[in-house]
Amino acid sequence: MNEFDLNSFLPYQLSVAAARVSRDFAERYRREFGLSIPEWRVLAHLSQAGAVSVREIHARVDMDKSKVSRAATRLEAAGYILKVTDAADRRLVQLSLTPSGQDLLGRILPIANAYQSELMTLLGDNVTEFRQSLTKIVQS
């Protein structure tokens, strides 16, 4: 008989936890601002990185280039980001936040910080070790 227990298998637990956290947080900003998960990730990355290409966002947020591109197109149509074709390499498109995008992020960040506080409270005294362990996994 197989001794494998899926519920205690760490990769499975991490996958389920990540999906649940992402879904729960997404519901909060979707309800308030009508954003999808890819749109939030593009906005959040641009807030940290400044003007970057779709390729750079794809590599950083671990999301398909097509999802990044579609999210960027929707965000551009809404006036939250600006797309500029690179003069040296016309295949590259630089994305950056517009003032409206910066304002939107300013309204989302309190929700993000409140959600993070809830998670930290849930983890209690283990939060520091948990974050260190996650950092090891992400950076490996």
Side-chain angles (χ1 to χ4, degrees), residues 106-121:
R107 293 182 290 142
I108 294 173
L109 290 180
I111 294 168
N113 288 329
Y115 186 62
Q116 176 172 261
S117 292
E118 289 175 31
L119 291 174
M120 291 173 77
T121 298

PDB file of all heavy atoms in Angstrom, residues 106-121:
ATOM      1  N   GLY A 106      -2.449  53.674  -4.659  1.00  0.00           N
ATOM      2  CA  GLY A 106      -2.578  54.326  -3.360  1.00  0.00           C
ATOM      3  C   GLY A 106      -3.860  53.941  -2.638  1.00  0.00           C
ATOM      4  O   GLY A 106      -3.906  53.908  -1.401  1.00  0.00           O
ATOM      5  N   ARG A 107      -4.896  53.596  -3.410  1.00  0.00           N
ATOM      6  CA  ARG A 107      -6.167  53.160  -2.806  1.00  0.00           C
ATOM      7  C   ARG A 107      -6.176  51.665  -2.509  1.00  0.00           C
ATOM      8  O   ARG A 107      -6.875  51.214  -1.603  1.00  0.00           O
ATOM      9  CB  ARG A 107      -7.332  53.548  -3.712  1.00  0.00           C
ATOM     10  CG  ARG A 107      -7.501  55.068  -3.782  1.00  0.00           C
ATOM     11  CD  ARG A 107      -8.680  55.504  -4.633  1.00  0.00           C
ATOM     12  NE  ARG A 107      -8.395  55.233  -6.036  1.00  0.00           N
ATOM     13  CZ  ARG A 107      -9.290  54.808  -6.916  1.00  0.00           C
ATOM     14  NH1 ARG A 107     -10.532  54.592  -6.565  1.00  0.00           N
ATOM     15  NH2 ARG A 107      -8.950  54.596  -8.171  1.00  0.00           N
ATOM     16  N   ILE A 108      -5.386  50.892  -3.269  1.00  0.00           N
ATOM     17  CA  ILE A 108      -5.332  49.438  -3.056  1.00  0.00           C
ATOM     18  C   ILE A 108      -4.407  49.074  -1.905  1.00  0.00           C
ATOM     19  O   ILE A 108      -4.682  48.138  -1.147  1.00  0.00           O
ATOM     20  CB  ILE A 108      -4.857  48.716  -4.340  1.00  0.00           C
ATOM     21  CG1 ILE A 108      -5.890  48.875  -5.452  1.00  0.00           C
ATOM     22  CG2 ILE A 108      -4.607  47.243  -4.072  1.00  0.00           C
ATOM     23  CD1 ILE A 108      -5.419  48.336  -6.795  1.00  0.00           C
ATOM     24  N   LEU A 109      -3.313  49.788  -1.748  1.00  0.00           N
ATOM     25  CA  LEU A 109      -2.303  49.397  -0.755  1.00  0.00           C
ATOM     26  C   LEU A 109      -2.828  49.289   0.671  1.00  0.00           C
ATOM     27  O   LEU A 109      -2.425  48.371   1.391  1.00  0.00           O
ATOM     28  CB  LEU A 109      -1.087  50.315  -0.841  1.00  0.00           C
ATOM     29  CG  LEU A 109      -0.261  50.119  -2.122  1.00  0.00           C
ATOM     30  CD1 LEU A 109       0.930  51.051  -2.148  1.00  0.00           C
ATOM     31  CD2 LEU A 109       0.163  48.674  -2.308  1.00  0.00           C
ATOM     32  N   PRO A 110      -3.733  50.153   1.123  1.00  0.00           N
ATOM     33  CA  PRO A 110      -4.272  49.936   2.470  1.00  0.00           C
ATOM     34  C   PRO A 110      -5.009  48.594   2.599  1.00  0.00           C
ATOM     35  O   PRO A 110      -4.926  47.934   3.636  1.00  0.00           O
ATOM     36  CB  PRO A 110      -5.228  51.115   2.683  1.00  0.00           C
ATOM     37  CG  PRO A 110      -4.701  52.185   1.783  1.00  0.00           C
ATOM     38  CD  PRO A 110      -4.172  51.449   0.576  1.00  0.00           C
ATOM     39  N   ILE A 111      -5.674  48.173   1.538  1.00  0.00           N
ATOM     40  CA  ILE A 111      -6.353  46.872   1.545  1.00  0.00           C
ATOM     41  C   ILE A 111      -5.315  45.756   1.582  1.00  0.00           C
ATOM     42  O   ILE A 111      -5.455  44.776   2.325  1.00  0.00           O
ATOM     43  CB  ILE A 111      -7.269  46.741   0.305  1.00  0.00           C
ATOM     44  CG1 ILE A 111      -8.413  47.753   0.393  1.00  0.00           C
ATOM     45  CG2 ILE A 111      -7.805  45.321   0.155  1.00  0.00           C
ATOM     46  CD1 ILE A 111      -9.211  47.917  -0.882  1.00  0.00           C
ATOM     47  N   ALA A 112      -4.248  45.910   0.799  1.00  0.00           N
ATOM     48  CA  ALA A 112      -3.169  44.916   0.781  1.00  0.00           C
ATOM     49  C   ALA A 112      -2.503  44.816   2.149  1.00  0.00           C
ATOM     50  O   ALA A 112      -2.260  43.712   2.658  1.00  0.00           O
ATOM     51  CB  ALA A 112      -2.141  45.280  -0.296  1.00  0.00           C
ATOM     52  N   ASN A 113      -2.219  45.952   2.739  1.00  0.00           N
ATOM     53  CA  ASN A 113      -1.568  45.949   4.059  1.00  0.00           C
ATOM     54  C   ASN A 113      -2.466  45.358   5.135  1.00  0.00           C
ATOM     55  O   ASN A 113      -1.995  44.634   6.021  1.00  0.00           O
ATOM     56  CB  ASN A 113      -1.116  47.360   4.427  1.00  0.00           C
ATOM     57  CG  ASN A 113       0.071  47.805   3.600  1.00  0.00           C
ATOM     58  OD1 ASN A 113       0.901  47.007   3.190  1.00  0.00           O
ATOM     59  ND2 ASN A 113       0.151  49.101   3.339  1.00  0.00           N
ATOM     60  N   ALA A 114      -3.756  45.632   5.060  1.00  0.00           N
ATOM     61  CA  ALA A 114      -4.693  45.059   6.033  1.00  0.00           C
ATOM     62  C   ALA A 114      -4.764  43.538   5.875  1.00  0.00           C
ATOM     63  O   ALA A 114      -4.781  42.803   6.873  1.00  0.00           O
ATOM     64  CB  ALA A 114      -6.077  45.674   5.864  1.00  0.00           C
ATOM     65  N   TYR A 115      -4.776  43.067   4.631  1.00  0.00           N
ATOM     66  CA  TYR A 115      -4.813  41.622   4.401  1.00  0.00           C
ATOM     67  C   TYR A 115      -3.531  40.968   4.911  1.00  0.00           C
ATOM     68  O   TYR A 115      -3.563  39.918   5.544  1.00  0.00           O
ATOM     69  CB  TYR A 115      -5.043  41.314   2.923  1.00  0.00           C
ATOM     70  CG  TYR A 115      -5.236  39.839   2.669  1.00  0.00           C
ATOM     71  CD1 TYR A 115      -6.320  39.158   3.234  1.00  0.00           C
ATOM     72  CD2 TYR A 115      -4.349  39.124   1.896  1.00  0.00           C
ATOM     73  CE1 TYR A 115      -6.496  37.805   3.031  1.00  0.00           C
ATOM     74  CE2 TYR A 115      -4.521  37.765   1.682  1.00  0.00           C
ATOM     75  CZ  TYR A 115      -5.595  37.111   2.242  1.00  0.00           C
ATOM     76  OH  TYR A 115      -5.769  35.776   2.049  1.00  0.00           O
ATOM     77  N   GLN A 116      -2.399  41.595   4.648  1.00  0.00           N
ATOM     78  CA  GLN A 116      -1.134  41.064   5.157  1.00  0.00           C
ATOM     79  C   GLN A 116      -1.150  40.996   6.683  1.00  0.00           C
ATOM     80  O   GLN A 116      -0.690  40.009   7.271  1.00  0.00           O
ATOM     81  CB  GLN A 116       0.045  41.921   4.688  1.00  0.00           C
ATOM     82  CG  GLN A 116       1.359  41.444   5.270  1.00  0.00           C
ATOM     83  CD  GLN A 116       2.545  42.148   4.685  1.00  0.00           C
ATOM     84  OE1 GLN A 116       3.168  41.597   3.808  1.00  0.00           O
ATOM     85  NE2 GLN A 116       2.858  43.348   5.178  1.00  0.00           N
ATOM     86  N   SER A 117      -1.688  42.012   7.327  1.00  0.00           N
ATOM     87  CA  SER A 117      -1.784  42.004   8.796  1.00  0.00           C
ATOM     88  C   SER A 117      -2.628  40.840   9.291  1.00  0.00           C
ATOM     89  O   SER A 117      -2.297  40.201  10.294  1.00  0.00           O
ATOM     90  CB  SER A 117      -2.354  43.327   9.297  1.00  0.00           C
ATOM     91  OG  SER A 117      -1.445  44.365   9.080  1.00  0.00           O
ATOM     92  N   GLU A 118      -3.723  40.550   8.578  1.00  0.00           N
ATOM     93  CA  GLU A 118      -4.563  39.409   8.952  1.00  0.00           C
ATOM     94  C   GLU A 118      -3.777  38.106   8.865  1.00  0.00           C
ATOM     95  O   GLU A 118      -3.878  37.254   9.757  1.00  0.00           O
ATOM     96  CB  GLU A 118      -5.782  39.324   8.031  1.00  0.00           C
ATOM     97  CG  GLU A 118      -6.797  40.412   8.241  1.00  0.00           C
ATOM     98  CD  GLU A 118      -7.926  40.339   7.221  1.00  0.00           C
ATOM     99  OE1 GLU A 118      -8.261  39.229   6.758  1.00  0.00           O
ATOM    100  OE2 GLU A 118      -8.466  41.408   6.882  1.00  0.00           O
ATOM    101  N   LEU A 119      -3.012  37.955   7.792  1.00  0.00           N
ATOM    102  CA  LEU A 119      -2.215  36.734   7.636  1.00  0.00           C
ATOM    103  C   LEU A 119      -1.152  36.628   8.719  1.00  0.00           C
ATOM    104  O   LEU A 119      -0.919  35.550   9.273  1.00  0.00           O
ATOM    105  CB  LEU A 119      -1.560  36.699   6.259  1.00  0.00           C
ATOM    106  CG  LEU A 119      -2.497  36.507   5.074  1.00  0.00           C
ATOM    107  CD1 LEU A 119      -1.733  36.647   3.769  1.00  0.00           C
ATOM    108  CD2 LEU A 119      -3.211  35.163   5.153  1.00  0.00           C
ATOM    109  N   MET A 120      -0.528  37.740   9.031  1.00  0.00           N
ATOM    110  CA  MET A 120       0.505  37.737  10.062  1.00  0.00           C
ATOM    111  C   MET A 120      -0.086  37.394  11.423  1.00  0.00           C
ATOM    112  O   MET A 120       0.519  36.668  12.211  1.00  0.00           O
ATOM    113  CB  MET A 120       1.236  39.073  10.072  1.00  0.00           C
ATOM    114  CG  MET A 120       2.089  39.264   8.813  1.00  0.00           C
ATOM    115  SD  MET A 120       2.819  40.895   8.676  1.00  0.00           S
ATOM    116  CE  MET A 120       4.151  40.732   9.850  1.00  0.00           C
ATOM    117  N   THR A 121      -1.272  37.890  11.696  1.00  0.00           N
ATOM    118  CA  THR A 121      -1.958  37.559  12.942  1.00  0.00           C
ATOM    119  C   THR A 121      -2.272  36.067  12.983  1.00  0.00           C
ATOM    120  O   THR A 121      -2.090  35.409  14.017  1.00  0.00           O
ATOM    121  CB  THR A 121      -3.245  38.388  13.084  1.00  0.00           C
ATOM    122  OG1 THR A 121      -2.887  39.772  13.135  1.00  0.00           O
ATOM    123  CG2 THR A 121      -4.025  38.009  14.331  1.00  0.00           C
TER     124      THR A 121
END
